[in-house]
Amino acid sequence: MARVFNELLRHMPYRIGNQTRRLYLERTAPVYGRNSIVGRGCRVLHPQGLTIGEGVVVARDVTLDARGGLELEDEALIGFESVLLSHTHRSEEVGVAVQHQGMFSAPVKIGARAWLGMRVLVLPGVEVGSDAIVASGAVVTKSIPPRTIAAGVPARVLKSR
């Protein structure tokens, strides 16, 4: 059902799609704050695990993987084409194909007023603190403290705000 819905929204005009996405997420996500926007072309995996605070803006073509739990606190801003993963493959066993090692989940939390630039990848178990900024193209493998600026692959803290 969600796959069909996501594909349908891709081809809708922006205004109609935005209203439809809001209606869908208000009914399926446990929390969907007022004045929040999820942009056109976004993919939401397991919306039942998604919590969106008030005034959150998720730009176009973002993937929100909430299978392991995903929380976007008030006024968080997620840039175009970012991917927030809370569920992925295990890869600990050398000599065993990754697809045979199973999956694991860990919740992801994006703090209040945090800003993730364009094409940021956030891996399972990561927390981006309140008022933090993550530069475009960063791969966030470890938690980012509040009020800091991080960049790079893997992302590392460059300075405090």
Side-chain angles (χ1 to χ4, degrees):
M1 171 74 173
R3 178 179 285 162
V4 172
F5 181 79
N6 283 331
E7 192 59 34
L8 177 66
L9 288 181
R10 250 186 195 157
H11 303 290
M12 286 185 169
Y14 181 77
R15 180 176 211 126
I16 293 170
N18 192 33
Q19 293 167 352
T20 305
R21 280 187 297 280
R22 179 189 335 261
L23 184 65
Y24 173 71
L25 290 171
E26 283 174 347
R27 286 181 164 69
T28 56
V31 177
Y32 187 84
R34 67 189 167 95
N35 299 324
S36 291
I37 297 170
V38 174
R40 185 175 70 192
C42 288
R43 291 164 210 78
V44 179
L45 305 175
H46 193 72
Q48 299 81 359
L50 179 63
T51 298
I52 296 181
E54 293 187 11
V56 171
V57 176
V58 178
R60 292 178 46 190
D61 300 314
V62 170
T63 299
L64 301 173
D65 175 6
R67 292 176 288 179
L70 175 59
E71 181 179 359
L72 306 176
E73 290 187 340
D74 295 348
E75 298 179 317
L77 175 58
I78 312 300
F80 294 102
E81 299 176 0
S82 292
V83 178
L84 284 66
L85 296 176
S86 65
H87 187 80
T88 193
H89 294 276
R90 292 187 180 281
S91 60
E92 295 86 14
E93 296 181 51
V94 177
V96 177
V98 171
Q99 63 266 34
H100 300 301
Q101 293 187 41
M103 305 290 283
F104 79 95
S105 298
V108 169
K109 182 177 179 181
I110 308 300
R113 299 167 307 282
W115 172 25
L116 305 185
M118 181 178 183
R119 294 186 179 154
V120 169
L121 172 60
V122 177
L123 297 182
V126 167
E127 182 174 339
V128 176
S130 297
D131 299 300
I133 297 173
V134 179
S136 295
V139 177
V140 185
T141 60
K142 296 179 181 171
S143 293
I144 304 296
R147 298 174 301 286
T148 58
I149 298 174
V153 180
R156 63 184 179 84
V157 174
L158 302 177
K159 64 180 184 177
S160 294
R161 291 185 66 197

